[in-house]
Amino acid sequence: MASLMLYVISVAQFLDIMNGSAMTVAFVDISRTLDFDTYSTQWIMSSYAVAFGGFLLLAGRVGDMYGHRSVFLVGQIWFGLWSLIVSFSTSPAMFCITRALQGIGASMSVPTALGLITTTIPAGPKRTRALSIFGGFGAAGAVVGLLLAGALISAMSWHWIFRFSSIFSFVLFALGFFAIPSTPKKQNPANIDVAGALTATSSLICIIYYISAGSATGWASVQTLPVLAAGLVLFTAFIWIEMRWVSNPIMPFRIWHLKNFSSAFIAIMFLQGQFQGYTYYATLIFQNVMGYTSMQTSLAFLAHSLAAIVTFTVLGKILPKYRLKPFILTGFVFRCASAIMFAFVTTKTSYWTLPFLGLLVHVIGVGTSVLPAQITALKDAKNEDQGVVGALYSTGMQLGGPLGLAIVTAISENSVSAADQAASVDMLMESYRNGLFGVVGLGVLGIIVSAILLPNNPTAPATPPADAATDSVVTDDVAGVVIEPSLETTQVVVIDEKI
C-alpha cells in the first residue's frame, strides 16, 4: 500500500508540473482567444503563482496539524474543480480568478505530498529512493506538458489542457482515498495562523499588482498608488501579527537568523525573476519572431527539459563534494549568457544556432544555481524547522518569478511603443531584446548580492548536528526534491498582447 501511495502522490506531482509546463506553449493561444491586453496579461500566470505561494505556508501548516492525507485529498478535488472551470473562461478576468483558485489547490498538494513521504517512509535509503521517484515524476511532467500542450492545441484547443488535468485530478482523489493510510487525529492541535496567511498573501498581491500596472497607468496614479499603500499597510500588519499577536506564527522569525537560509532566499528571488523573464521572451521569440506554431514551440523547448533531467541527475551526485557558492555565481553567469544569445535572434536565425545553444546554456545555469541554492537554504536548519524552511523557500520561488517578470516586461513595454511593435517584427524583436537585457540586469544584481551575502561554507558540516535526521539523508533528500521546483517554474510564464 505504501508503494501505491507513493505513486499516487508522485502522479499528482506529475499532473501539477505537466499543467504548468503546458502553459509555456499555451499562453500565446490563451491571450489571442481571450483578448488579453498588454498589461493585464501579467496575471495569466502570476495569479496562479501568487495564490500558490501565498497559501503554501498555510496549507503546509494545516497539514501538519490536521493530517497530510486530508489536505492532500481536498487539494486534489479543489485543483480538479477549478481546472475544469478555468477551461470555460470567457474573459481575462474569469481566467485569472479561476487560475488563482486552481493555484490554491496546488498549494495544498505540494507540501502535503512531501509531508506524506517524510511521515510514512523512514529516513534513509527508502526515503531517498521515494524522493527520487517523486522528483523524477516531476521532471517527466515538464517534458510531457510541453508535448501535450502542442498536440492538444493543434488538434483541439488550449481548453483541453485544463480539462485533462481536471479528469486526472478526480481520478487521483479516488485512488488516494484508498491508497493513502489514515492517521489518528492530533489532540488539541494549535490554532491556525489565518491572519498571518491572509495579510501576507494580500500584501504581496497588492505589491505585485503595483509593479505590473504601474508602467501602464503611472507609478503615482490613483489606480496604482493606493494599491501600493494598501500593500505596505498589510505587510506591516503581517509583521506585527507574526511578532506580537500569534503564539504559533506561520513564519517564525527565528528562521531569518539562519545565514544560509536568508541569503539563499534572496538569491532565489533573483534566480526565479531571471527564469520567468527568460522563458517568457524565449516563447514570444519562437512564435512571434521565428514564426513557430504551438507544436514547434513545444519541440523547441523539449531539449531544455530533457537536458534538465540529465543536468539535475549529475549535479545531485557532484554538489555534495564541493562548496556551493561558486556554483551559484557560475549559474547566474550562464543564465545571463543565454539571455544575451536569445537577444540577438532574428527572423532568419536557425534554431540550431542561437536558440538551441542558448537553451542548453540556460539549463546548465539553472542546474548550477537553483539546486545549490536550495541545498544552501536547508542545510543549517534544525530538524524541527525543515518543514517551515522548505515552505518559505518554495514561497520565495513562486513570488520571485512574478516580481522579476513584472520588472522586465515594464522595461520592454516602455522601450518601444505599442504602435512601433505592431508595425514590424523587427521593432517587436527590439522590445523583446530590451526585456532580455532586463533579464541580464537581474542576473548581474543577483551575482553582486549573492557574492556579498552567501556564505562560502562546505556543502555539509564535518560533524552533523545532533538533531539532523541522519548523516546523509538531508543532502540526499534535498537532491531528490529539487528537481520539482526548478522544472515546475516553467509554468510561471505570462503573456504579451503583441502575439
Side-chain angles (χ1 to χ4, degrees):
M1 188 63 73
S3 296
L4 180 58
M5 180 207 73
L6 173 61
Y7 284 104
V8 167
I9 61 179
S10 294
V11 172
Q13 166 83 338
F14 170 92
L15 179 64
D16 179 51
I17 295 180
M18 181 191 72
N19 183 271
S21 177
M23 291 297 99
T24 304
V25 176
F27 76 84
V28 172
D29 294 270
I30 293 170
S31 173
R32 288 171 176 163
T33 303
L34 299 180
D35 293 326
F36 275 87
D37 61 41
T38 302
Y39 300 101
S40 66
T41 54
Q42 288 280 13
W43 292 93
I44 278 185
M45 298 306 293
S46 293
S47 57
Y48 180 97
V50 171
F52 180 95
F55 284 90
L56 191 63
L57 288 173
L58 178 61
R61 180 65 170 156
V62 172
D64 287 337
M65 294 191 300
Y66 294 100
H68 297 295
R69 177 182 184 271
S70 299
V71 178
F72 177 83
L73 293 176
V74 170
Q76 288 304 304
I77 287 291
W78 186 278
F79 186 87
L81 174 64
W82 290 106
S83 295
L84 181 61
I85 294 174
V86 74
S87 73
F88 292 100
S89 295
T90 56
S91 68
M94 181 179 177
F95 183 91
C96 292
I97 291 171
T98 52
R99 184 76 170 135
L101 291 167
Q102 185 192 31
I104 295 175
S107 75
M108 298 181 197
S109 299
V110 172
T112 52
L114 291 172
L116 285 167
I117 291 176
T118 56
T119 56
T120 58
I121 299 176
K126 289 185 177 180
R127 183 185 295 178
T128 300
R129 178 179 175 275
L131 288 169
S132 298
I133 292 172
F134 185 77
F137 269 83
V143 176
V144 173
L146 292 172
L147 297 175
L148 182 65
L152 288 177
I153 292 170
S154 299
M156 292 181 280
S157 70
W158 60 264
H159 306 80
W160 282 96
I161 296 172
F162 295 103
R163 290 168 188 168
F164 273 106
S165 296
S166 177
I167 293 169
F168 281 110
S169 282
F170 292 134
V171 171
L172 284 174
F173 169 81
L175 292 174
F177 186 84
F178 296 102
I180 301 173
S182 300
T183 55
K185 293 184 178 180
K186 294 185 178 181
Q187 299 296 323
N188 302 319
N191 294 326
I192 302 172
D193 181 16
V194 176
L198 293 179
T199 51
T201 304
S202 301
S203 65
L204 288 166
I205 290 173
C206 290
I207 292 170
I208 294 173
Y209 173 83
Y210 174 77
I211 296 173
S212 301
S215 59
T217 59
W219 302 106
S221 71
V222 293
Q223 290 94 338
T224 55
L225 200 57
V227 177
L228 174 63
L232 295 176
V233 170
L234 287 167
F235 185 74
T236 303
F238 167 69
I239 299 297
W240 182 83
I241 289 169
E242 299 301 282
M243 295 184 69
R244 303 289 184 184
W245 196 44
V246 294
S247 57
N248 59 318
I250 199 169
M251 188 185 72
F253 276 85
R254 67 176 181 274
I255 299 301
W256 298 102
H257 294 295
L258 301 175
K259 176 68 172 177
N260 284 309
F261 169 74
S262 57
S263 58
F265 183 90
I266 295 172
I268 200 62
M269 295 285 283
F270 283 102
L271 290 169
Q272 289 304 102
Q274 259 197 307
F275 187 94
Q276 306 317 323
Y278 176 87
T279 311
Y280 172 62
Y281 286 110
T283 304
L284 291 177
I285 288 170
F286 278 137
Q287 299 203 20
N288 296 343
V289 177
M290 301 180 71
Y292 283 15
T293 64
S294 297
M295 192 64 198
Q296 287 174 318
T297 303
S298 299
L299 295 173
F301 274 110
L302 188 60
H304 188 273
S305 296
L306 292 174
I309 298 174
V310 176
T311 300
F312 275 77
T313 301
V314 173
L315 286 172
K317 300 179 182 298
I318 293 175
L319 289 176
K321 303 176 182 179
Y322 300 98
R323 297 177 185 271
L324 298 177
K325 183 175 181 177
F327 280 95
I328 296 173
L329 298 178
T330 301
F332 270 117
V333 173
F334 272 95
R335 293 163 75 141
C336 289
S338 179
I340 292 173
M341 293 172 74
F342 256 93
F344 290 97
V345 169
T346 68
T347 55
K348 298 180 180 179
T349 301
S350 167
Y351 170 75
W352 298 106
T353 54
L354 292 177
F356 177 74
L357 295 177
L359 288 172
L360 294 184
V361 170
H362 183 254
V363 81
I364 294 172
V366 170
T368 53
S369 56
V370 174
L371 180 50
Q374 182 162 6
I375 296 174
T376 299
L378 297 176
K379 71 177 183 179
D380 64 353
K382 294 182 178 180
N383 197 46
E384 63 267 23
D385 290 332
Q386 287 285 336
V388 68
V389 166
L392 278 171
Y393 184 83
S394 296
T395 301
M397 294 186 74
Q398 293 298 324
L399 298 176
L403 284 169
L405 188 57
I407 293 170
V408 299
T409 51
I411 294 171
S412 173
E413 295 299 333
N414 285 287
S415 62
V416 179
S417 69
D420 288 340
Q421 292 182 45
S424 71
V425 175
D426 290 338
M427 294 306 296
L428 186 60
M429 183 60 208
E430 180 68 20
S431 172
Y432 297 163
R433 182 177 296 114
N434 292 332
L436 286 166
F437 288 153
V439 172
V440 175
L442 286 177
V444 172
L445 287 174
I447 290 172
I448 295 172
V449 172
S450 299
I452 295 172
L453 297 181
L454 282 172
N456 193 28
N457 299 325
T459 301
T463 303
D467 58 356
T470 69
D471 60 349
S472 63
V473 169
V474 172
T475 299
D476 288 343
D477 286 359
V478 170
V481 175
V482 295
I483 294 176
E484 173 265 315
S486 300
L487 290 175
E488 179 187 2
T489 48
T490 304
Q491 71 192 22
V492 193
V493 185
V494 297
I495 142 134
D496 188 64
E497 176 190 24
K498 280 77 65 182
I499 336 198

